[in-house]
Amino acid sequence: SLASMALLGTFAYFTSASLLQEISLRQLDALAESKKRDLTKVYESWEDKVKLLRTREILRQAVLNRIAENNPESRQALETIVRAITVALPKIDRLILYDSSGQEIASSSQSQVSYQSINLSNEIQFEGTFRNDNGLSVALSAGLESDGNRFGGILIFFDASEVYDVTEDYTGLGESG
């Protein structure tokens, strides 16, 4: 009788342990999917900012003027626009504008990160992650065009603190995380 109770207890223990493990795995899968969605939203917000900035007519016209005139006034006008962008969008660590040959024509100077090449394609490209004085930056680039003619590119370094915010949130993992 004692042996049958021990056998029944062992069976119940292993069954409940297996069920708890399945439940935990399902919860972790759901949490991983949630984190993936949150990280995707962060990345898509960066892409949206690149799309918005590269389609701004005032920015494109200032870049074209800078390329055509290549004088101090056109550079100052373009750098004023770049500074206004970085003030309006504080999550931008650095913004660099290039001409079609890949030469830098204007940039903000909020970060010490430097990058040697530029994407001049129509697609937004992930250029990498970079460590700077403020933490981590994520760089995205895209070409600039007007009337179907590509004339330059934009490289934007975004503050990656939003990635930390998502990954450091242990909600859903219980008390111990």
Side-chain angles (χ1 to χ4, degrees):
S1 156
L2 196 54
S4 64
M5 286 184 70
L7 187 60
L8 181 62
T10 303
F11 175 74
Y13 171 78
F14 283 112
T15 303
S16 63
S18 176
L19 289 173
L20 285 173
Q21 185 178 22
E22 282 182 42
I23 291 169
S24 295
L25 285 174
R26 274 189 258 136
Q27 287 174 337
L28 285 173
D29 281 344
L31 183 62
E33 280 300 313
S34 173
K35 295 291 184 185
K36 180 181 174 185
R37 277 192 307 273
D38 292 345
L39 289 171
T40 299
K41 285 179 186 177
V42 169
Y43 186 81
E44 287 173 350
S45 77
W46 293 335
E47 280 188 331
D48 289 345
K49 288 178 179 90
V50 173
K51 288 176 189 173
L52 175 69
L53 291 176
R54 78 178 197 177
T55 59
R56 301 299 303 162
E57 186 60 33
I58 192 168
L59 177 64
R60 292 187 309 185
Q61 196 58 49
V63 170
L64 286 169
N65 288 345
R66 172 73 177 125
I67 292 168
E69 296 174 14
N70 197 16
N71 60 37
E73 293 81 20
S74 64
R75 182 174 182 94
Q76 185 175 7
L78 185 55
E79 287 181 349
T80 299
I81 292 170
V82 168
R83 277 192 302 277
I85 290 169
T86 56
V87 166
L89 299 171
K91 292 289 184 178
I92 291 180
D93 281 343
R94 189 170 189 203
L95 185 149
I96 306 171
L97 296 166
Y98 294 88
D99 64 17
S100 59
S101 67
Q103 294 295 316
E104 181 180 316
I105 58 172
S107 89
S108 65
S109 57
Q110 292 183 344
S111 173
Q112 298 303 314
V113 174
S114 62
Y115 193 74
Q116 300 305 317
S117 65
I118 182 65
N119 163 36
L120 298 176
S121 75
N122 198 33
E123 297 295 318
I124 296 172
Q125 290 185 355
F126 172 75
E127 298 293 345
T129 56
F130 303 88
R131 193 166 272 295
N132 62 32
D133 295 339
N134 301 325
L136 192 65
S137 290
V138 173
L140 300 179
S141 66
L144 296 171
E145 64 179 48
S146 180
D147 300 324
N149 297 320
R150 195 153 297 114
F151 59 85
I154 186 170
L155 176 62
I156 303 176
F157 294 86
F158 292 98
D159 176 2
S161 63
E162 291 172 285
V163 172
Y164 287 121
D165 294 344
V166 169
T167 57
E168 289 182 346
D169 180 8
Y170 297 112
T171 304
L173 290 176
E175 289 180 28
S176 65

